[in-house]
Amino acid sequence: VDVALDSKGNVLAAGDIFLADGPGFLFKGIIARFNANSLDLDTSFGVAGKVITENPSDINLGFRALGLDSQDRIIAAGEQEGDFSVSRYLVDGKPDTNLGTNGQTLVDFGGGDVANALTLEEKEKIVVGGFSRGASNNRDFALARLNP
């Protein structure tokens, strides 16, 4: 879970939720935006103040880090089925299709990869850090820079 403030002082929170999926469970990334003054959900964002990631193949996706760029686009990083996942959303909560496929890109270090942190460099480059669990099952530091 991570939180960030946009340029208007609204609070954004990102994490994941578990949903029933037949006999098991599926987790999906969620971002919620709360109004600066009241901390009520901002109903102009996503659906009723929330964006829940929908993957066509119903695979697990969770967010661990959150940031905003100079245009108040929302960047969320985490893990999708063992790879770094980086998603970018427009101010209204719609996926920013200028990043990757439908607003999401994956980075595979060859192990069980999880992005836990992100920051933005000049010219909106996205840097994500986390770990990769290789064949030995040890956690190795992993770092990626995206040039969207």
Side-chain angles (χ1 to χ4, degrees):
V1 175
D2 199 5
V3 295
L5 296 175
D6 69 13
S7 63
K8 295 179 181 176
N10 295 317
V11 178
L12 290 111
D16 49 56
I17 58 171
F18 289 88
L19 302 171
D21 181 39
F25 288 92
L26 184 69
F27 68 94
K28 293 185 179 254
I30 184 171
I31 300 171
R33 186 167 70 194
F34 302 88
N35 291 312
N37 297 334
S38 64
L39 289 183
D40 291 329
L41 281 170
D42 178 355
T43 57
S44 70
F45 178 76
V47 177
K50 299 175 273 190
V51 171
I52 299 174
T53 56
E54 294 295 334
N55 294 309
S57 55
D58 270 342
I59 53 180
N60 289 317
L61 168 66
F63 294 137
R64 304 284 178 267
L66 183 66
L68 289 105
D69 68 13
S70 63
Q71 299 174 46
D72 265 354
R73 292 178 297 190
I74 302 151
I75 298 101
E79 178 261 337
Q80 177 177 308
E81 295 293 311
D83 293 331
F84 271 26
S85 170
V86 179
S87 300
R88 188 168 63 192
Y89 298 89
L90 302 173
V91 174
D92 62 4
K94 292 184 177 118
D96 181 354
T97 57
N98 291 316
L99 177 72
T101 303
N102 296 321
Q104 181 190 39
T105 191
L106 301 175
V107 179
D108 184 4
F109 291 99
D113 311 323
V114 178
N116 290 317
L118 74 83
T119 193
L120 296 170
E121 293 183 320
E122 62 185 51
K123 298 186 181 179
E124 310 296 342
K125 293 178 184 175
I126 303 167
V127 178
V128 291
F131 67 86
S132 179
R133 188 175 294 138
S136 66
N137 210 29
N138 292 330
R139 287 185 177 187
D140 294 321
F141 183 74
L143 186 65
R145 177 185 290 134
L146 305 176
N147 298 305

